[in-house]
Each structure stands twice: as C-alpha cells, then as structure tokens.
Amino acid sequence: MRPNVLLIVFDTARADGFEPYGAPAGSTPVAADLARRGRAVPMAISAANWTMPSHAAMFTGRLPRALGLSKPLVGRSLLNPRKILQANADRILAEVLRRNGYATAGVSANPWISHGSAFSTGFEHWAEVRGEIPRSRSARDRMEQYLRAVRGRADQGASAAVRLLRARLRERDPRPFFWFVNLMECHSPYLPPRPFTHRSVVGRLRAADDAMRYGNAVTMARYSMGNLEVPEPVLARLRHLYRRAVSMVDHTVGLMLEDLDAAGVLDDTAVILTADHGENLGEQHLLGHTRSIDQRLIHVPLIMAGPLDPPVDDLFSQPDLPALLADRLELEANPWAPVCPPGTAVSQSDLSSLWSDEQVEHLARVWGVPREVIREAGPYATILDGRFKLARTGDAEALFDLDADPGETRDVGDAHPQRANELRELLDGVQADVGVEGRTAYTPREEAEMQDHLEALGYL
C-alpha cells in the first residue's frame, strides 16, 4: 500500500524562522528533528508572495499567470478563483490522489483557502477553522475577542486543526490518506497564546495596539514609501512575537505527529512542512508580504521526512510539489510536468490594491505620492538559479547575486550581462498570462465574510 501524506502549510512563514534555515537552536525542535530524519531543501521558492496564487500553484502544478490569476483583486471587489480551480480540477493534487485511491481531507484556517473559492476540490472531507483573534464586525464581539487575545487564551485556529485531525484518525478508513492543513499563526496580528509568549497583559495590550496601528495596508504602504516611520521598539516587539508564533506552529506539528504515532501510522506517513510565502519585518523599510518579491517572501521552508524521498536538488520550485509526489508515489497517470526551466525557480505576483479608486486619489493627495505607488509597485516576477536572481518590478529589472548580496541591495546586471540575458529569456518564456476569462465574484454573503476577515488580517 502507498504511504500516507501529511502536507502542512504554515501561512506567512519565512524560511529563516526555522532551525534548519538558521533560527536559534531550540526555537523549532520539531522541524529540526524532521530535517534530521529527512531533508530540509536549502532553497525552496514559492510561486507568489501571497496566499491565494501560491496555494493555487502548489495544488495544480501551474504558475499563477498560467492559471489566469493575474490581478485577482480590483478595488474592494474580490474576484473569486472558483471557476479557474474548477476548470483545473483534473490536475488539483487532492483530486488526483483521490482518483488514485487516497482518502483526502483538508483543514484551512485561511479565508482565501476555502470551499467558496474551490480550494476544497478533491477533498472528501473539508473543514474551515477560525481562531479567536478578533474578526467580528460587532464592536462588542471584537472587544471580547481582543480581551481573550491579550490574556493569552486565543489562537488563529491551530488548536481546532489539531482536534479535527484527531477526529480523522478515529474515523479513517483502510485507504492511505492525503491530509492538508493550513495554519495561520504566523500571519499578522502576531498574538500567539501562552505559553508561547510570556508577556504580561500590559505587554500583550501593547502588542495588540502595535498590530492595529502598524499591521494594516495603509501603514505598510506608507512605511514602504518612506512616508511613515515605525519606531524600532515596535519592530522589535513584532519580530519577537513573530518568532514565538513560528515556535507555536512548530509545537502544533509536534502534537499532530504525536497523534499519528499513537495511532500507529506515523512510520507510514510522509510529512511535508512548507509555507505559502514569508513576511517582511522591517527589513529594507518593508512590512507584510505584498509590496516586494524579495527572498524573505519567496524563500520558504520545505522539510520532508518519512517513507518518501525528498527532492535531491538544493533549488526547488514549489509548484513542482505535485509532480514530485506523483514520482515518489509512482502514480501511473498524472497531469504534471516541471513548470520552470531546468535549474531555475519562478515567482509571479500581480496583487492589485484593495483600495477603491476614490481612496487611492484621496491618499495620493494627502501623502503627495503617485497613485501607482499607492496601488502597488508591481506587477512582480522573478527567476533565480540559486545564485543569481533576475527580478522585475513593473518595467524595472535588476540582477542580484544572492551569494554575495543576500539582501538584494546591488544590481549586478552590468557585471554579469550574459547571465542576465539568459535569465531574462527564460523568464520571458514562462510569462504567459491566460487572462481573466472564467473568473467570478464571491456571493454578497461570501464577500462580506471575506471583507471581515481581510480587515482583521490587515489587508483593509
């Protein structure tokens, strides 16, 4: 019988938050142990710098623009990828594994990754969990939720995900399983519960205030433009709480593995830990994850342990995960092929502003900056070979030597024109955009719920 597969995606988790990628010893012991028993791929690259296109690429084995996920957000109208994913149902990972005899189940804590947007395609059991970080439009409910958060008693769905997986273990059938879990703890606002932070109630109130003041789209945009300064003590608190949130998701994985072990199935389960994208925490005057395509956003952890062999190359393109699993599981018929030129990885992002035209005009006048800067500096696209990275922002282009300049501060295109041209031609070859045909809007109820969640997460 084929082995089980447990795919855990840490939302907004940058690679360097984990021990195999340079985090301090003891900060993520579960990830470290899995890496010792398997492998942590040195440079895994996500397909995009935000959740929806990254997950879509990971599920379908196609890059975002090849799927038609260009500019999925317009003003405050949220365009739903439902029809795109339904049109690609025959190549969605869960559906292919289901057809090959797997019992499939998914748990998502992220509002983008939902049944309403068709990410549940192929899953026989699907659950959406919402933690107790404030998300209600009701002022009374919001205050009650904030009080729970500042007292250290609320999470973003991790505990509910653990309970659901325990239930699946009790009810599982004889087939091998494919289980997917999305955990939101590393996403802003960074308010991990006790015991993952030992701050006092006053300290947690300050952290909650930091999140409301600085963890929103307006502040992040102004900060990136140099129009606003975030005090260094605030950045220090954000970074501390972010590290503690990473420790919490690591602990959550440990609980899941203990349950698998107690049920006698851990040795037969391939465990895959990764992330959809990373996060900027003040580096190069950036916060959040939508205003650049730097390595802090697209270099994600990828750790595999168990009965399936991990990737052998040091550079791995995350949309190739379905093809990797098809190879390791020896699926006779599958729809996937490598999506990037050999020896490279590609990321693309066309996130449009969530602000309306009227809001953009107003902010441009108040801040005295061009409208285009407020909307987004993108679109973004990048291709890298492990050492060199060719990055495009709008019409601008730069080549970075990641070995000599990991912070991507110096354009070395003039010093390496041949490599720049080679990567440019390769990137042009995967830039196809199939357009926006087939996309639909959320229903009014779905859109209201999404607006609520996005406001709580700082996008609005």
Side-chain angles (χ1 to χ4, degrees):
M1 189 170 71
R2 290 189 174 110
N4 308 308
V5 178
L6 173 62
L7 171 61
I8 301 176
V9 177
F10 304 131
D11 214 286
T12 322
R14 45 195 275 175
D16 62 8
F18 296 83
E19 288 184 51
Y21 299 93
S27 57
T28 57
V30 176
D33 180 65
L34 285 171
R36 285 189 293 268
R37 294 195 284 116
R39 186 176 191 235
V41 177
M43 189 176 287
I45 301 298
S46 64
N49 62 359
W50 70 286
T51 295
M52 192 264 281
S54 176
H55 275 80
M58 203 184 328
F59 278 23
T60 65
R62 280 183 170 159
L63 288 168
R65 289 178 185 165
L67 285 168
L69 292 176
S70 176
K71 292 184 172 59
L73 314 176
V74 180
R76 286 193 172 226
S77 177
L78 310 178
L79 297 182
N80 192 331
R82 181 189 297 129
K83 287 189 176 180
I84 287 176
L85 292 178
Q86 289 172 340
N88 284 273
D90 286 345
R91 61 182 301 115
I92 288 178
L93 179 59
E95 174 61 18
V96 174
L97 291 179
R98 187 194 64 78
R99 294 200 306 263
N100 278 272
Y102 273 78
T104 58
V107 179
S108 173
N110 191 304
W112 285 115
I113 312 306
S114 68
H115 176 73
S117 54
F119 277 98
S120 60
T121 301
F123 289 100
E124 297 165 322
H125 299 277
W126 178 262
E128 294 168 20
V129 296
R130 300 290 180 259
E132 296 175 302
I133 300 300
R135 287 196 175 100
S136 173
R137 291 183 182 274
S138 161
R140 179 177 178 179
D141 289 348
R142 186 177 289 265
M143 179 57 67
E144 182 177 339
Q145 290 166 336
Y146 261 118
L147 287 173
R148 288 182 60 81
V150 300
R151 290 170 182 163
R153 299 175 184 172
D155 64 29
Q156 297 208 59
S159 56
V162 170
R163 290 193 297 271
L164 284 166
L165 261 66
R166 286 175 181 163
R168 291 259 57 82
L169 280 169
R170 291 192 298 269
E171 300 167 6
R172 75 182 192 281
D173 59 35
R175 294 176 295 168
F177 63 73
F178 169 64
W179 291 349
F180 159 76
V181 183
N182 169 286
L183 296 175
M184 281 286 287
E185 312 310 313
C186 299
H187 199 292
S188 62
Y190 321 122
L191 292 172
R194 298 178 186 276
F196 302 99
T197 177
H198 300 292
R199 292 183 180 272
S200 65
V201 171
V202 172
R204 294 181 68 82
L205 280 168
R206 183 180 293 117
D209 183 66
D210 290 344
M212 287 189 288
R213 285 175 179 266
Y214 302 105
N216 61 77
V218 173
T219 298
M220 291 177 184
R222 293 184 64 188
Y223 181 64
S224 71
M225 292 182 285
N227 192 267
L228 175 76
E229 287 300 320
V230 178
E232 186 57 39
V234 172
L235 293 174
R237 288 194 292 271
L238 293 176
R239 291 165 184 156
H240 167 78
L241 289 169
Y242 182 83
R243 290 192 299 269
R244 300 308 298 155
V246 172
S247 293
M248 181 184 176
V249 294
D250 183 81
H251 174 77
T252 301
V253 173
L255 295 177
M256 294 177 181
L257 300 187
E258 288 174 4
D259 289 339
L260 292 173
D261 195 25
V265 297
L266 180 59
D267 290 343
D268 299 321
T269 301
V271 180
I272 305 171
L273 307 184
T274 190
D276 56 349
H277 57 80
E279 186 83 316
N280 273 307
L281 299 168
E283 299 90 350
Q284 295 178 237
H285 240 257
L286 291 168
L287 287 171
H289 50 264
T290 63
R291 303 192 73 83
S292 75
I293 201 162
D294 60 71
Q295 291 298 96
R296 293 178 296 274
L297 300 188
I298 64 171
H299 180 199
V300 294
L302 178 58
I303 302 170
M304 285 186 63
L308 298 183
D309 292 333
V312 296
D313 295 330
D314 288 350
L315 177 66
F316 184 80
S317 174
Q318 198 178 60
D320 284 336
L321 184 60
L324 175 75
L325 288 175
D327 176 73
R328 301 302 194 260
L329 295 171
E330 299 180 350
L331 303 185
E332 293 182 0
N334 73 83
W336 304 301
V339 300
C340 299
T344 70
V346 172
S347 284
Q348 304 166 329
S349 182
D350 300 292
L351 180 64
S352 176
S353 174
L354 288 168
W355 298 323
S356 67
D357 290 341
E358 293 77 12
Q359 289 172 308
V360 170
E361 291 289 345
H362 171 73
L363 293 173
R365 290 194 301 271
V366 172
W367 296 348
V369 296
R371 293 185 298 276
E372 294 76 13
V373 175
I374 297 172
R375 282 204 175 279
E376 285 292 334
Y380 301 105
T382 188
I383 185 169
L384 59 159
D385 61 13
R387 176 185 173 185
F388 288 107
K389 174 179 181 177
L390 186 77
R392 287 178 180 165
T393 301
D395 296 328
E397 188 177 272
L399 182 74
F400 300 108
D401 183 343
L402 297 177
D403 288 348
D405 178 28
E408 303 169 62
T409 61
R410 298 185 300 276
D411 181 359
V412 297
D414 290 343
H416 301 276
Q418 181 176 348
R419 192 55 183 147
N421 285 332
E422 291 168 347
L423 290 175
R424 185 178 301 115
E425 291 178 2
L426 292 174
L427 183 59
D428 289 341
V430 295
Q431 285 293 81
D433 187 341
V434 302
V436 298
E437 294 181 8
R439 291 186 299 164
T440 185
Y442 287 95
T443 66
R445 179 177 178 180
E446 289 171 339
E447 176 132 358
E449 291 176 350
M450 285 290 290
Q451 298 278 5
D452 197 14
H453 293 317
L454 292 173
E455 182 179 356
L457 293 172
Y459 289 104
L460 299 176

